[in-house]
Amino acid sequence: SKEEIAELKELNAKLIFAQIALGEDHVEAVGLRLNLDPTSVCNVRCVTCYQNYSETFEPHVIPVEALEKAFE
C-alpha cells in the first residue's frame, strides 16, 4: 500500500542519515533518488548549465547496452 511504501522510504532515509552520521564509508541503505543522464550532448548552451563553465568538459553518451545491463 502507499502507506507501507511511505513508511519504508522514511526508514530507509533514517538509515542513510544514521550511517552518514556514524562516518561509515559504505551506506547499506538504498538511495533515495536516482538521476540518470544517458547523454550530456546538447547544443542549447543554457546560461545556467555547467557545460558552459568548463573548458575541459567532454560530452559523453552511455551506450544502450550498458543501460539495459544496469536494469536487468
Side-chain angles (χ1 to χ4, degrees), residues 52-63:
N52 290 331
Y53 300 106
S54 174
E55 294 178 13
T56 60
F57 176 78
E58 293 185 28
H60 68 273
V61 175
I62 299 174

Side-chain angles (χ1 to χ4, degrees), residues 12-13 15-21 23-31:
N12 185 64
L15 177 58
I16 289 173
F17 292 119
Q19 290 182 305
I20 291 171
E24 295 185 18
D25 293 332
H26 180 79
V27 177
E28 295 294 330
V30 178

Side-chain angles (χ1 to χ4, degrees), residues 6-71:
E7 184 178 339
L8 289 173
K9 284 182 178 182
E10 184 177 338
L11 290 171
N12 185 64
K14 288 179 181 179
L15 177 58
I16 289 173
F17 292 119
Q19 290 182 305
I20 291 171
L22 291 170
E24 295 185 18
D25 293 332
H26 180 79
V27 177
E28 295 294 330
V30 178
L32 299 176
R33 180 178 297 146
L34 171 65
N35 295 322
L36 181 64
D37 287 326
T39 181
S40 65
V41 177
C42 177
N43 64 357
V44 178
R45 302 298 177 245
C46 301
V47 295
T48 58
C49 181
Y50 64 90
Q51 292 185 33
N52 290 331
Y53 300 106
S54 174
E55 294 178 13
T56 60
F57 176 78
E58 293 185 28
H60 68 273
V61 175
I62 299 174
V64 172
E65 297 80 19
L67 292 171
E68 289 172 342
K69 186 173 182 179
F71 291 100

